[in-house]
Amino acid sequence: MRGFVFRLKFWIAALVLSGLINCASHAQQVGHYIGGATGLENGSDPPPGFYGSYFGFVNPVDSLKGPNGNTLLNPDINVVAQMAGYAMTTPKKILGADYGWIFLIPAVNTRFTSDEFNTTAESGGLSDCYFAPIVLGWTKGNANFLLNYGFWAPTGQFNPSAALNPGLGFWEHQIQAGTTWNIDKRKLWNTSVLTTWEINQTKEGVDIKPGPMFTAEYSFGRRFFKYQMNAGVVGYAYQKLSADSGSGVNPLLAGILDRAFATGGEWKYTNLKWHMAFDVRYEQQYGVEARTSGKIIVISITYLKLFPPPAAHK
């Protein structure tokens, strides 16, 4: 059976802190997608069925990096996101691919404390929602291929004069393409890569348009326990492709392109009899420039209802 357990790609909205831009004047405008949101087998779509998930995300941030990777500030920032995710892969075929869709509803709580600036700020609430009306997956031998289009809607509260906001205040187009390859004949060893392209629109209430962004997430793992477990190494590389634009861009940030890398591990378990799947992922960021740096911790619980029933997929 294709690996699929947590391939719902539960992306986090409103991740890093317009508040840092206001108080530190060194952070970049960020997009909705966060590196580390996916891991093992992220280049394949789930088989036909319905999937409902609870997704928990914790991002303890311990430093703010400058354009050359130097540490500018050591704030105490905690970003906690909880998300309801719904996805379906239908029996319908488009261009020979399985067709599906994804809908995500995130809630975010962010707390920022800085001794250097003697300030504390906190915000929480519904963040920007994501809908992917086109999710296509192909299977060719030991390889799976994925292509999808979705968009983020500015449903979360956003006030450009506020220190922190649960929403980012702009629409965003998101295109993803990836592949998963089962290396050996028994399909125990597996590797994958997923690329994400973000095309951003102008923020509400301020003349700032975040530049386009690119993220590549990779994995290498092995399945155990009658294919119910998969564990391995995961990571990502992120790069802003062109600078933020608009009259509202802070002159200190003009022309700067932020980037980040991370590496860690992941464990996932699926029990078809229970209709349940579990995922834990941890990554440490490094090589960060012009943005926050810290750790990424992801936990998800997924209810899955395959159609036809699981026996048909053995």
Side-chain angles (χ1 to χ4, degrees):
M1 181 189 298
R2 283 176 290 172
F4 62 90
V5 180
F6 303 98
R7 266 293 306 116
L8 299 183
K9 304 181 299 297
F10 295 144
W11 306 294
I12 307 301
L15 180 57
V16 187
L17 305 171
S18 59
L20 282 179
I21 298 170
N22 295 332
C23 72
S25 298
H26 288 288
Q28 288 280 290
Q29 297 290 326
V30 299
H32 291 88
Y33 193 83
I34 173 64
T38 72
L40 294 167
E41 304 169 274
N42 58 12
S44 54
D45 70 325
F50 171 81
Y51 305 82
S53 281
Y54 163 81
F55 179 86
F57 171 91
V58 180
N59 179 212
V61 173
D62 53 24
S63 62
L64 175 62
K65 301 295 186 178
N68 297 318
N70 54 311
T71 299
L72 300 174
L73 184 67
N74 293 111
D76 180 11
I77 304 171
N78 288 295
V79 182
V80 179
Q82 301 186 71
M83 186 175 297
Y86 306 94
M88 180 177 289
T89 301
T90 72
K92 182 179 178 61
K93 296 285 187 178
I94 297 180
L95 300 176
D98 293 331
Y99 166 76
W101 54 262
I102 298 172
F103 181 57
L104 308 176
I105 307 173
V108 177
N109 181 274
T110 303
R111 181 176 177 83
F112 166 63
T113 302
S114 172
D115 293 334
E116 288 88 341
F117 290 93
N118 191 27
T119 184
T120 297
E122 186 171 6
S123 73
L126 178 69
S127 189
D128 300 342
C129 293
Y130 174 81
F131 179 56
I134 302 174
V135 178
L136 302 177
W138 294 264
T139 299
K140 301 293 183 183
N142 276 19
N144 303 117
F145 302 93
L146 177 70
L147 178 66
N148 67 48
Y149 164 78
F151 61 87
W152 294 90
T155 54
Q157 179 180 351
F158 176 76
N159 180 350
S161 63
L164 296 175
N165 289 286
L168 293 186
F170 61 89
W171 292 83
E172 177 186 304
H173 299 285
Q174 183 173 282
I175 300 170
Q176 291 189 305
T179 183
T180 296
W181 179 40
N182 296 292
I183 300 172
D184 60 314
K185 293 182 178 180
R186 297 176 61 191
K187 298 185 178 181
L188 295 175
W189 294 95
N190 52 94
T191 186
S192 69
V193 62
L194 177 69
T195 61
T196 301
W197 307 78
E198 298 174 82
I199 304 171
N200 307 306
Q201 306 303 303
T202 301
K203 282 179 171 283
E204 298 176 348
V206 59
D207 184 22
I208 296 177
K209 182 178 181 180
M213 304 162 187
F214 171 77
T215 303
E217 296 168 286
Y218 58 86
S219 78
F220 181 80
R222 189 186 189 281
R223 299 183 180 91
F224 301 90
F225 195 52
K226 299 180 180 179
Y227 297 89
Q228 294 184 94
M229 291 185 185
N230 196 6
V233 176
V234 295
Y236 76 86
Y238 158 84
Q239 177 69 59
K240 182 171 286 186
L241 301 177
S242 64
D244 304 330
S245 60
S247 61
V249 174
N250 190 319
L252 295 175
L253 303 175
I256 294 176
L257 303 179
D258 59 320
R259 70 175 188 177
F261 303 87
T263 302
E266 180 177 1
W267 171 86
K268 46 198 286 190
Y269 171 73
T270 306
N271 191 309
L272 295 179
K273 292 182 179 180
W274 299 351
H275 299 281
M276 298 294 292
F278 308 89
D279 191 8
V280 179
R281 182 164 50 258
Y282 169 87
E283 295 184 31
Q284 174 67 57
Q285 294 177 313
Y286 62 92
V288 177
E289 295 184 1
R291 61 184 296 141
T292 58
S293 179
K295 302 174 178 63
I296 296 172
I297 303 167
V298 179
I299 299 173
S300 69
I301 302 173
T302 302
Y303 168 81
L304 50 97
K305 181 65 175 179
L306 303 185
F307 40 85
H313 294 270
K314 292 182 178 179

